[in-house]
Amino acid sequence: NSPYSASKASSDHFVRAFHETYGLPTLITNCSNNYGPRQFPEKLIPLITLNAIRGKNLPIYGRGENIRDWLHVEDHCKAVSLVLANGKIGETYNVGGRSERSNLFIVNKICSILDEIKPREDGKSYKEQIVFVKDRPGHDLRYAIDSSKIENELGWFPNHAFEEGLKETIEWYLGNTNWVENVLTGEYRKWVDLNYGDRK
């Protein structure tokens, strides 16, 4: 429903059109929400994890009822590699984690994991930091994905169970504070400029 979502759908139409009209050899993959190490801190799982341990609010859009299917980034990468190697030209393959969860569930789960592995000094639950904020315009209630095609035709299945992958992801952020700070302060841009900047 949002222009952001519409732009992604339109890109698929353009790719299909060039395949059908001009014979361009194309492959399309559509995935569900990714999670895992090194995800930019604005995304839900790292945002909630990092805000929690910093004593900040844990913002949830609306009432937290929006549902997404969660796919570990390593499973996604393996799927893309498999489609590149064995996918049928002109076809589209959906890649999902078979792990539909509401945003409220995700935030509560992160809080429970942090309560266990990095408790607050005051002994209270991180859940007390949850706040509900105004929903964003055009926010789709549910994204679901049917991965049966890539499973049946190419033999791909996700290897990461969501709850285990979520805990591993949280532990990664807790154990890689230098990486996090580098991103939050924008220091990584210096590396980008140094390696990819104007070299006139």
Side-chain angles (χ1 to χ4, degrees):
N1 289 325
S2 70
Y4 167 69
S5 300
S7 70
K8 293 195 290 185
S10 66
S11 69
D12 285 5
H13 288 300
F14 275 115
V15 172
R16 284 195 202 96
F18 273 88
H19 171 72
E20 294 295 334
T21 305
Y22 302 113
L24 185 72
T26 64
L27 292 160
I28 296 175
T29 62
N30 297 129
C31 71
S32 55
N33 276 33
N34 277 212
Y35 74 99
R38 298 178 184 84
Q39 190 171 34
F40 203 80
E42 71 174 6
K43 298 301 182 181
L44 179 64
I45 291 173
L47 175 70
I48 297 301
T49 301
L50 298 171
N51 274 14
I53 63 175
R54 287 172 167 78
K56 297 181 178 181
N57 287 341
L58 309 181
I60 303 178
Y61 285 122
R63 294 162 56 187
E65 297 174 338
N66 302 79
I67 295 172
R68 300 291 181 264
D69 176 47
W70 292 90
L71 172 67
H72 195 281
V73 63
E74 291 178 3
D75 289 328
H76 187 194
C77 290
K78 289 177 181 176
V80 170
S81 180
L82 185 63
V83 170
L84 284 170
N86 300 323
K88 183 180 177 183
I89 296 299
E91 292 294 310
T92 296
Y93 297 89
N94 292 336
V95 187
R98 295 194 178 275
S99 299
E100 288 188 44
R101 306 287 189 277
S102 72
N103 287 348
L104 183 58
F105 176 92
I106 297 291
V107 175
N108 277 317
K109 190 67 178 177
I110 292 171
C111 290
S112 296
I113 292 170
L114 288 172
D115 287 342
E116 175 190 341
I117 65 177
K118 191 178 176 63
R120 281 176 36 164
E121 290 183 2
D122 61 9
K124 296 179 180 179
S125 174
Y126 288 99
K127 293 177 184 178
E128 296 197 5
Q129 295 167 224
I130 293 174
V131 295
F132 294 93
V133 298
K134 184 179 179 181
D135 207 353
R136 65 189 188 197
H139 196 186
D140 293 302
L141 180 61
R142 178 174 177 244
Y143 290 160
I145 203 158
D146 181 359
S147 299
S148 58
K149 181 175 180 179
I150 192 172
E151 292 170 356
N152 295 333
E153 294 185 13
L154 302 182
W156 175 90
F157 293 92
N159 290 324
H160 292 79
F162 178 72
E163 276 68 20
E164 293 174 10
L166 178 62
K167 185 175 181 181
E168 290 172 2
T169 298
I170 292 169
E171 290 172 340
W172 187 90
Y173 281 100
L174 297 181
N176 289 273
T177 53
N178 288 341
W179 182 92
V180 171
E181 290 304 320
N182 194 352
V183 172
L184 291 176
T185 61
E187 282 294 309
Y188 70 94
R189 294 192 189 101
K190 293 181 180 178
W191 185 93
V192 173
D193 290 340
L194 178 64
N195 290 276
Y196 296 101
D198 190 355
R199 299 192 180 189
K200 291 181 181 177

